Amino acid sequence: MDDNIGARSSNEDNYMIKEQEQLLPIANVGRIMKQILPPNAKISKEAKETMQECVSEFISFVTSEASEKCRKERRKTVNGDDVCWALETLGFDDYAGPVRRYLHRYREQEVDRANQENGRNILKDLE
Amino acid sequence: MEEEDNNETILPEFPTGRVKKIMKLDKDINKVNSEALFLVSCSAELFIRFLAEKSAEVTKGKKRRIVKLEHIRIAVQRHRPTSDFLLDSLPLPSQPLDRPITDQIHPRPVTEKPVPAGTRRIDDFFNKSANKSPIQIDNEES
């Protein structure tokens, strides 16, 4: 029987590519899952794919809540505090603590990065 | 992702461009600054870890070693905030995800198989013609 897999129309290809663009790469998702599971555990392909979809839903859900807060406060740009707030509001208190720490360290890194830039510039002036 | 190393630069696991794309699927989202993008990436990873851990507990409880969709579903049901937004989105048990997407939107047309030689078509029974012999073996098929 002739199987027309090779002759997929470009519309269908585009559809599949679009689907993948809405998901985080399965390799990353799988790797993170493996880190958590006991060494002899395995994950079905279906479970990995499901997890991909769950994460995208999660991202949309949190982003939407953070964005709504901005809208109400008449701000245009979603920032880190909005994301923290959204996580707490939506009941993900378990994440709120670690995420606030990440935010703190991210801001420290940004300051360090800026200072390094300034430091380099000062050294240049001294040359 | 490093959590305890104070001097390590934290890098989320996911390609930031892809995370951003997913965030922007919602047309109501305007701008997102780099902090927010970073934190959403971090949270996404935390979410996977959390759900994987809970799913694995279900798998273990059932004395299995392979984490399956149904285990994820039970884990989701057990955590209220997650269940609120996710439970209805999970694929139903009768709809396996590994069917190619193409089959779902464009079912492949069923082609008529040529019948094996020597087969009588049932139509022949009704096509009575004086010139035809009673048993007509029809080898021609579209």
Side-chain angles (χ1 to χ4, degrees), chain A residues 1-46:
Chain A
M1 173 171 137
D2 274 343
D3 211 335
N4 62 351
I5 281 182
R8 254 205 317 249
S9 77
S10 62
N11 277 345
E12 290 168 355
D13 280 345
N14 287 340
Y15 182 85
M16 289 183 79
I17 290 169
K18 272 196 127 74
E19 278 283 300
Q20 285 305 307
E21 281 174 359
Q22 297 170 10
L23 303 172
L24 293 177
I26 198 167
N28 299 55
V29 172
R31 190 163 53 236
I32 294 171
M33 290 179 81
K34 267 187 104 86
Q35 284 171 8
I36 294 298
L37 297 179
N40 62 342
K42 293 194 187 306
I43 312 157
S44 78
K45 180 160 177 273
E46 188 186 42

Side-chain angles (χ1 to χ4, degrees), chain A residues 4 12 15 20-21 23 28 32 35 37 40 42 44 55 67 76 78 80 95 102 106-107 109, chain B residues 3 10 13-14 18 29-31 33-35 39 48-50 56 65-67 81 101-102 106 108:
Chain A
N4 62 351
E12 290 168 355
Y15 182 85
Q20 285 305 307
E21 281 174 359
L23 303 172
N28 299 55
I32 294 171
Q35 284 171 8
L37 297 179
N40 62 342
K42 293 194 187 306
S44 78
V55 187
S67 165
K76 282 204 178 137
V78 176
Y95 310 162
Y102 292 146
Y106 183 85
R107 286 176 174 166
Q109 278 167 205
Chain B
E3 283 198 27
I10 352 168
E13 290 259 351
F14 304 117
R18 186 70 65 85
I29 310 292
N30 279 324
K31 291 184 180 189
N33 76 2
S34 61
E35 264 181 8
L39 290 186
I48 294 175
R49 286 173 182 257
F50 171 82
R65 274 197 299 141
I66 305 179
V67 178
I101 298 273
T102 48
H106 294 299
R108 298 207 189 100

